[in-house]
Amino acid sequence: QDMLDLDEEEMRLQRLNEVALVPQGAMNSLNPVMKIKNQLLDGLYDHQLRGDDKMSKEDQIQVVEKLLTSMQPRIIVADEPTSALDVVVQRNVMQTLGRLQEGLHASIILIGHDMGLVAQFSDHVGVMYAGRLVEVGPVKTVFKSPKHPYTRLLIKSLPTLSNKKEFIGIPGLPATLLNLPEGCAFCLRIGKETPTKIP
């Protein structure tokens, strides 16, 4: 289903039912002065119990428990679910997402900058720069033979145990998103000669 064809009401109904989001930071996504139970109930009221505010507390608790075990999203969007975590906790989070994916038979869209994590847990990768996809393909193909200079630099930034190297930042400044030029915004950033120097 093409989500871009949905109107605002149809899109609202897709959220939480068919598409679930794991936000980058819970502190920015959950209301710190409101119980999680009530935040979950808000979503449920919006989708299934709209206008039904006469539920007893016991019924509400049962609804939340059922909600936590019965929602079956087909797509889970995980926005940097492991940022600022140590590698052990990162692995636990990704393994949990993997078990969830298998149990629900869902697809996961993993958003992140950690190309090592992408290589370990993804089947396909899409590399974006300035809001545009610059390269898409199976993980093994993209990592073995990256075509776009930004993809090459991202992969090159991965640390290795086999050899020491000096980490060099990407030259230039990020593209201004207000008036993006036609063509490759990244190539304008690094100049015409730089891409040929990247192995």
Side-chain angles (χ1 to χ4, degrees):
Q1 182 178 20
D2 189 342
M3 303 290 277
L4 297 177
D5 289 339
L6 302 179
D7 62 32
E8 191 172 326
E9 176 65 10
E10 290 171 328
M11 182 67 84
R12 184 188 67 76
L13 293 172
Q14 288 287 322
R15 295 186 186 110
L16 195 62
N17 272 338
E18 297 290 329
V19 180
L21 171 68
V22 179
Q24 182 174 0
M27 291 296 290
N28 302 328
S29 305
L30 297 172
N31 187 334
V33 297
M34 196 176 163
K35 290 186 175 179
I36 295 221
K37 172 188 75 174
N38 296 330
Q39 294 181 63
L40 292 173
L41 283 169
D42 277 349
L44 190 62
Y45 291 147
D46 191 48
H47 283 75
Q48 297 171 5
L49 300 177
R50 189 174 278 224
D52 183 1
D53 55 353
K54 298 178 181 178
M55 293 176 65
S56 69
K57 286 189 177 181
E58 292 78 15
D59 288 342
Q60 288 181 4
I61 290 170
Q62 286 183 353
V63 167
V64 169
E65 287 176 354
K66 186 177 179 184
L67 175 67
L68 290 172
T69 58
S70 68
M71 294 299 281
Q72 303 286 316
R74 291 165 46 198
I75 300 172
I76 300 169
V77 180
D79 185 3
E80 297 204 32
T82 63
S83 63
L85 301 176
D86 66 65
V87 291
V88 174
V89 179
Q90 278 187 3
R91 184 160 190 82
N92 288 339
V93 168
M94 293 309 298
Q95 287 175 336
T96 301
L97 278 174
R99 287 193 299 271
L100 182 64
Q101 178 184 20
E102 288 177 12
L104 295 174
H105 304 290
S107 296
I108 292 182
I109 298 174
L110 175 63
I111 300 170
H113 297 91
D114 186 338
M115 294 298 276
L117 197 70
V118 169
Q120 289 179 49
F121 294 101
S122 300
D123 299 317
H124 282 76
V125 62
V127 178
M128 295 185 77
Y129 183 79
R132 296 176 181 162
L133 276 171
V134 296
E135 187 161 359
V136 179
V139 165
K140 289 182 180 178
T141 303
V142 170
F143 274 74
K144 184 177 180 182
S145 180
K147 306 297 183 214
H148 195 274
Y150 182 58
T151 308
R152 291 198 290 268
L153 285 169
L154 285 175
I155 293 170
K156 193 176 177 183
S157 72
L158 290 173
T160 63
L161 297 175
S162 57
N163 61 345
K164 289 184 177 182
K165 59 183 177 182
E166 183 180 343
F167 289 107
I168 300 171
I170 298 173
L173 297 172
T176 302
L177 300 180
L178 293 175
N179 293 311
L180 281 176
E182 289 187 18
C184 178
F186 184 74
C187 292
L188 293 175
R189 174 179 175 177
I190 59 177
K192 295 178 181 178
E193 295 180 7
T194 309
T196 58
K197 295 180 183 177
I198 300 168

